[in-house]
Amino acid sequence: MNIGIIMGSTRPGRIGEGVAKWVFEQAQTRSEVNYHLIDLLDYNLPLLDEPNPPMMGNYTKEHTKKWAAAIAKLDGFVFVTPEYNHSTSAALKNAFDYLYKEWNNKACGFVSYGSAMGARAVENLRLVAGELKMADVRNQLMLSLHSDFENYKVFKPSSHHEKSLKAVFDDVESWSGALKTIRKNIA
Ligand SMILES: Cc1cc2nc3c(=O)[nH]c(=O)nc-3n(C[C@H](O)[C@H](O)[C@H](O)COP(=O)(O)O)c2cc1C
């Protein structure tokens, strides 16, 4: 099974990079599943510029095809999201909007950070996940800008977060396994 850890911030100086790398490091203890760290910056997606609705799967641009191929081969996701104006980043929302079937019938979990621990960003993302036919797990890891980062910049997670992250991994892995069956029946 292959699960993607998607880094939701593309901002210069983003603190999310430290978070996503730590999530990836923690994932290395999971022996049954391959985790992949996915940086949206590597895909350089402009604001959605496809002429056809993603539901049609008729992608015309090289950047869309590359992004679609990366997401298609994954069975589930852990989204690492900042909170911008009570929602996720525009970059992550844009990356969702590019595709459709590549997200469908896959599981996802969330790791969020912000002054209110990114809670509102995740509530917002759960609506997006529903529309894209993703199964979002209940467990989530919420990190505080005030107590999990030094000077609001350097990620220094409290040790109890490892347990919450493990719960996210457990759920995403079991649901990803279950949903594989559904995708097989559809194909
Ligand atoms: C455009 C913008 C809007 C923000 N809005 C919120 C917000 O609504 N709630 C919050 O807790 N933090 C908010 N913040 C603060 C971010 O949590 C903080 O800047 C964090 O470092 C962003 O993650 P990043 O550095 O990985 O991009 C906002 C930051 C930006 C840049």
Side-chain angles (χ1 to χ4, degrees):
M1 210 149 57
N2 291 292
I3 292 178
I5 296 165
I6 316 271
M7 217 187 275
S9 174
T10 53
R11 221 172 49 85
R14 58 193 176 172
I15 61 172
E17 185 168 339
V19 179
K21 286 183 169 161
W22 173 78
V23 171
F24 181 65
E25 246 171 61
Q26 297 292 315
Q28 302 316 301
T29 59
R30 319 284 302 184
S31 52
E32 306 286 304
V33 175
N34 298 314
Y35 280 83
H36 307 265
L37 188 55
I38 306 235
D39 187 346
L40 294 180
L41 278 181
D42 293 336
Y43 294 86
N44 213 13
L45 294 168
L47 275 180
L48 182 61
D49 63 351
E50 282 288 344
N52 306 308
M55 226 175 250
M56 292 169 69
N58 185 12
Y59 305 137
T60 65
K61 303 277 163 54
E62 276 318 303
H63 52 255
T64 313
K65 290 176 190 170
K66 185 177 162 197
W67 179 232
I71 297 305
K73 62 183 178 217
L74 298 169
D75 300 299
F77 309 96
V78 176
F79 295 106
V80 178
T81 183
E83 180 168 300
Y84 294 167
N85 297 319
H86 289 207
S87 185
T88 190
S89 68
L92 182 56
K93 178 61 166 55
N94 189 50
F96 275 121
D97 292 346
Y98 261 94
L99 309 178
Y100 182 68
K101 75 170 187 330
E102 294 79 3
W103 300 118
N104 293 174
N105 298 309
K106 296 179 179 177
C108 67
F110 303 100
V111 174
S112 62
Y113 52 95
S115 19
M117 299 178 156
R120 296 161 301 207
V122 172
E123 289 299 292
N124 198 276
L125 278 169
R126 289 184 187 281
L127 295 175
V128 177
E131 179 58 16
L132 291 171
K133 292 170 68 167
M134 281 193 275
D136 52 316
V137 303
R138 176 185 180 274
N139 282 314
Q140 67 190 65
L141 170 57
M142 302 195 297
L143 302 161
S144 165
L145 271 190
H146 307 287
S147 52
D148 292 308
F149 296 84
E150 255 173 32
N151 302 319
Y152 303 96
K153 280 216 164 310
V154 183
F155 185 47
K156 292 275 158 76
S158 309
S159 56
H160 67 274
H161 290 316
E162 288 179 20
K163 196 169 160 220
S164 307
L165 182 59
K166 184 183 171 300
V168 174
F169 288 147
D170 286 347
D171 284 357
V172 171
E173 289 177 16
S174 67
W175 284 22
S176 295
L179 286 165
K180 246 183 174 207
T181 326
I182 289 182
R183 293 204 307 282
K184 216 183 290 164
N185 291 341
I186 289 171

